[in-house]
Amino acid sequence: QVQVVESGGGLVQAGGSLRLTCAASARSFTVYALGWFRQAPGTEREFVAAMPISWSSADTLYADSVKGRFTISRDNAKRSVFLQMNSLKPEDTAVYYCAARYGSTLYGSPERYDYWGQGTQVTVSS
């Protein structure tokens, strides 16, 4: 069982930045991947970025819509990933969710992830 908790959302003007944090609890030495997804009202949940919590893999995966603006990073010791969001746009407004799956393989499909956080609201004003 993995518990996932997000933090760091808020209100920012277009062009601004926010940093989200996802902390996951699991047994030591467990390798798993953490992914960020987002969902705006009336839309489906959309993949944003993913990265494994692993000492042997530093792979990353990004959605095309955020490449060059968002950066995912991690702290293996704290079993956390971070999403640095720069040059934010009003269309980035959504609830951002963090999700976990066992193993280091990265996927962009929400069905591949088994454990989800409650989400954190990000609002970008124009």
Side-chain angles (χ1 to χ4, degrees), residues 24-97:
S25 63
R27 290 183 298 176
S28 297
F29 308 114
T30 299
V31 174
Y32 52 91
L34 292 178
W36 285 101
F37 294 80
R38 64 187 182 185
Q39 188 169 20
T43 68
E44 294 187 351
R45 196 160 292 190
E46 174 191 22
F47 172 72
V48 176
M51 188 169 197
I53 297 296
S54 167
W55 297 102
S56 61
S57 171
D59 292 342
T60 57
L61 182 66
Y62 291 95
D64 288 342
S65 59
V66 305
K67 282 181 180 177
R69 300 189 299 123
F70 292 9
T71 302
I72 191 169
S73 60
R74 69 185 178 191
D75 183 332
N76 278 335
K78 295 183 178 180
R79 312 191 81 75
S80 298
V81 294
F82 312 98
L83 186 67
Q84 179 66 43
M85 304 185 294
N86 298 328
S87 302
L88 283 162
K89 305 174 182 179
E91 51 263 45
D92 293 316
T93 295
V95 177
Y96 282 70
Y97 297 91

Side-chain angles (χ1 to χ4, degrees), residues 6-18:
E6 310 95 335
S7 62
L11 173 64
V12 65
Q13 288 188 334
S17 299
L18 280 175

